[in-house]
Amino acid sequence: MKPEFTTIAEDMNKLAAIIPPNQYYRFHDHWKTVMQKLSFLTAFIKYLEKEELNTREEVAKMVGVYTNREEGFHMDLDDYLHGLLQLASELSRLAVNSVTAGDYGRPLQ
């Protein structure tokens, strides 16, 4: 795990500690964009390093949350999928920029 994600996981644990039990969805709008962006960032980093996609479980583990809502503070499937949609947009932008920079092999990857 990257050191930056250790800090994020610690912060998520602090946030989870102050959310009352069974009140996750009451406050979900406050952090859903952050979860989506974290999903995107972890997927983008893994793609650039290994050309693979993260699973929801891997993303949740990296940011210190659960995938199952019964366990507590978790990453919703919707937030994970929105992050992957952002990845698709960013990869198309990367392909165009790569060709502009003379890297004609990158878009084929």
Side-chain angles (χ1 to χ4, degrees):
M1 182 185 306
K2 298 203 174 291
E4 296 83 3
F5 288 106
T6 302
T7 303
I8 291 168
E10 291 169 0
D11 290 342
M12 285 294 177
N13 286 323
K14 290 176 189 175
L15 178 61
I18 62 173
I19 302 301
N22 300 319
Q23 297 292 311
Y24 177 88
Y25 287 105
R26 179 178 178 195
F27 301 104
H28 180 249
D29 276 352
H30 295 291
W31 58 74
K32 76 176 180 180
T33 304
V34 172
M35 288 287 205
Q36 292 170 7
K37 192 56 77 172
L38 288 171
S39 175
F40 159 71
L41 289 172
T42 58
F44 193 44
I45 289 168
K46 185 169 183 180
Y47 176 80
L48 291 175
E49 291 177 349
K50 300 181 180 181
E51 294 184 7
E52 297 174 359
L53 289 179
N54 283 344
T55 64
R56 180 174 160 220
E57 290 75 16
E58 290 172 325
V59 174
K61 184 178 178 183
M62 287 179 77
V63 300
V65 299
Y66 299 105
T67 54
N68 187 348
R69 71 188 238 177
E70 286 79 25
E71 294 180 276
F73 201 86
H74 63 284
M75 174 169 280
D76 274 337
L77 179 60
D78 289 355
D79 294 340
Y80 166 71
L81 293 175
H82 277 281
L84 291 186
L85 289 173
Q86 292 172 21
L87 176 65
S89 175
E90 189 64 25
L91 290 178
S92 66
R93 204 167 74 84
L94 175 64
V96 170
N97 289 338
S98 296
V99 169
T100 302
D103 182 1
Y104 302 107
R106 172 66 75 176
L108 299 175
Q109 294 172 331

